[in-house]
Amino acid sequence: MKPWRSAALLLALVAFPLAARAETNAELQAQVRDRERAFAKTMADRDHAAFASFLSDEAVFFGQGPVRGKQAVADAWKAFYEGPKAPFSWEPEQVLVLDSGQLASSSGPVRDPDGKRVGTFNSVWRRDADGQWRIVFDKGCPPCSCP
């Protein structure tokens, strides 16, 4: 066998199992859930720099009006990270991931320092080329008093 054919065959044998092993939707959901929890931990840890690392360069956060871009969002949230005690916390309740594995949605309760539910967050995550999930859209809303 010619040397280049041997190399091509070896490469195919090594690469095939890696290519055949696609992540399941449940595994992707777990990744996003863990990522959301780590994102929330930045608030508990009072670590604003870590918060910013979860943001996409083109993140849009909705509040009083849309805040566009990683730096603008980080700047807008800086005040929430000042002081010794977190003003609120959040945790994922629901995580959905597209079958393509490129976009995900997470949502769940927002709680005040006493644990009272004061709202619901909704985030959209995108899997970047480096494999990291980063937030592209985020919007909070008051808790629903629906029946």
Side-chain angles (χ1 to χ4, degrees):
M1 187 180 300
K2 294 186 178 183
W4 65 268
R5 285 187 182 168
S6 296
L9 179 60
L10 180 61
L11 180 62
L13 290 173
V14 170
F16 179 74
L18 297 176
R21 171 63 177 103
E23 295 164 302
T24 67
N25 197 279
E27 289 169 330
L28 294 170
Q29 286 178 31
Q31 288 175 15
V32 174
R33 187 177 310 281
D34 290 346
R35 191 82 168 140
E36 183 71 63
R37 286 184 179 129
F39 184 51
K41 190 175 183 308
T42 69
M43 179 65 74
D45 292 347
R46 319 304 292 132
D47 189 345
H48 183 257
F51 165 84
S53 74
F54 286 83
L55 304 174
S56 166
D57 288 340
E58 55 187 346
V60 178
F61 275 45
F62 301 88
Q64 302 292 43
V67 178
R68 295 178 169 273
K70 179 178 183 171
Q71 189 60 55
V73 170
D75 291 348
W77 275 61
K78 179 85 170 132
F80 295 128
Y81 283 81
E82 294 171 353
K85 190 172 182 184
F88 55 87
S89 63
W90 69 94
E91 61 185 314
E93 266 184 350
Q94 183 179 43
V95 174
L96 300 169
V97 180
L98 292 180
D99 288 341
S100 68
Q102 298 304 303
L103 286 176
S105 170
S106 60
S107 63
V110 177
R111 300 186 190 282
D112 70 12
D114 296 324
K116 179 183 176 199
R117 186 173 187 158
V118 295
T120 301
F121 76 88
N122 298 283
S123 299
V124 175
W125 297 80
R126 179 176 60 207
R127 195 174 199 185
D128 286 344
D130 65 1
Q132 287 293 321
W133 290 96
R134 291 191 176 84
I135 292 186
V136 288
F137 292 106
D138 186 88
K139 184 174 185 175
C141 58
C144 178
S145 59
C146 304

